[in-house]
Amino acid sequence: MELRFVKMNPTQNMTILVETPVERALQPELARRLMSEDSVCAEQVGYIEPASMPGAAARLQMMGGEFCGNASMSLSALLALRAGLADGEAHTYQLEVSGADALVNCSITRAGGSWLGEVDMPLPERATITELGDGQRYPVVFFPGIAHVLVDEDKMNPEAAETLAPKWCGMLRTDALGVLLVDAAFTRMRPLVYVRASDSAVWERGCGSGTAAIA
């Protein structure tokens, strides 16, 4: 299969956007291959599809059906670049995004060789304090398609997080799961994002929904 894609760097959350049409059933495995270090190497993959909702500029289908703010901003920057947005100009795109029931507004401004973006995050569906099988209780914030578990960074090492992420994803019955190792003041996080469909767990350098979960 020959693919046309772009690789974007939103807040260091390296993102591949695939423009070639790919069947939904094939997207998770293809994403897993693209993300690997011996391939394109990235933290996540989204697929650009034709939109079906009136007013949408495009549809972004993430590899696990989750919502992703950074990928949404990446798509908006790509649309603005191809539209010839001039330096200093701004434009707001309405996007159809997996994991969001309504159109998502994404404002993008061209700033020299970079872009400034602001995206409307879907509101959390609920937040709970939940026991997840290890005798500990954790704050869990549920967004459409993804849940985030907040964990004190001093009480869990990365290896334990990698082991628990798939198990917790199944327990919470969500398409994707973030294990957020946070400091005591909730000012810093290290996000591990597990996506069930691609069976991939990646330590990301930026996570929009994870940031919203902490807030």
Side-chain angles (χ1 to χ4, degrees):
M1 177 183 291
E2 184 173 323
L3 293 177
R4 179 182 175 89
F5 65 88
V6 295
K7 185 176 180 181
M8 312 288 281
N9 180 12
T11 64
Q12 299 189 16
N13 185 200
M14 302 303 293
T15 301
I16 297 169
L17 298 179
V18 178
E19 299 182 86
T20 302
V22 176
E23 293 180 26
R24 292 273 178 90
L26 301 178
Q27 289 178 0
E29 174 60 21
L30 181 59
R32 188 185 63 79
R33 295 185 182 185
L34 286 171
M35 289 191 299
S36 67
E37 291 185 2
D38 59 355
S39 183
V40 183
C41 191
E43 296 181 349
Q44 59 187 5
V45 177
Y47 296 86
I48 302 173
E49 299 180 346
S52 60
M53 299 173 68
R59 176 177 175 82
L60 174 63
Q61 180 69 26
M62 293 303 294
M63 60 189 190
E66 75 278 15
F67 178 83
C68 180
N70 282 330
S72 299
M73 288 191 289
S74 295
L75 177 54
S76 295
L78 180 63
L79 294 174
L81 176 65
R82 293 185 172 166
L85 196 70
D87 189 21
E89 288 187 338
H91 188 78
T92 297
Y93 290 95
Q94 290 189 309
L95 302 178
E96 188 177 321
V97 185
S98 58
D101 295 331
L103 292 179
V104 175
N105 291 320
C106 188
S107 299
I108 202 80
T109 302
R110 187 163 189 171
S114 300
W115 302 86
L116 301 176
E118 183 175 326
V119 62
D120 289 346
M121 297 292 296
L123 292 174
E125 296 174 332
R126 66 188 188 279
T128 65
I129 304 294
T130 304
E131 200 278 319
L132 293 174
D134 61 353
Q136 303 295 318
R137 292 171 61 81
Y138 301 95
V140 184
V141 183
F142 291 83
F143 289 90
I146 188 169
H148 290 286
V149 183
L150 280 62
V151 182
D152 186 332
E153 64 179 357
D154 293 329
K155 296 182 179 179
M156 183 175 294
N157 60 47
E159 292 76 15
E162 292 169 7
T163 299
L164 289 169
K167 177 182 177 181
W168 286 354
C169 188
M171 290 176 62
L172 296 171
R173 299 181 180 179
T174 185
D175 296 328
L177 182 93
V179 179
L180 309 180
L181 302 186
V182 298
D183 67 333
F186 290 88
T187 58
R188 182 183 67 248
M189 73 168 177
R190 187 180 180 195
L192 173 69
V193 177
Y194 173 78
V195 177
R196 183 204 301 267
S198 58
D199 191 27
S200 59
V202 178
W203 287 103
E204 298 187 349
R205 287 182 286 180
C207 180
S209 59
T211 302
I214 291 175

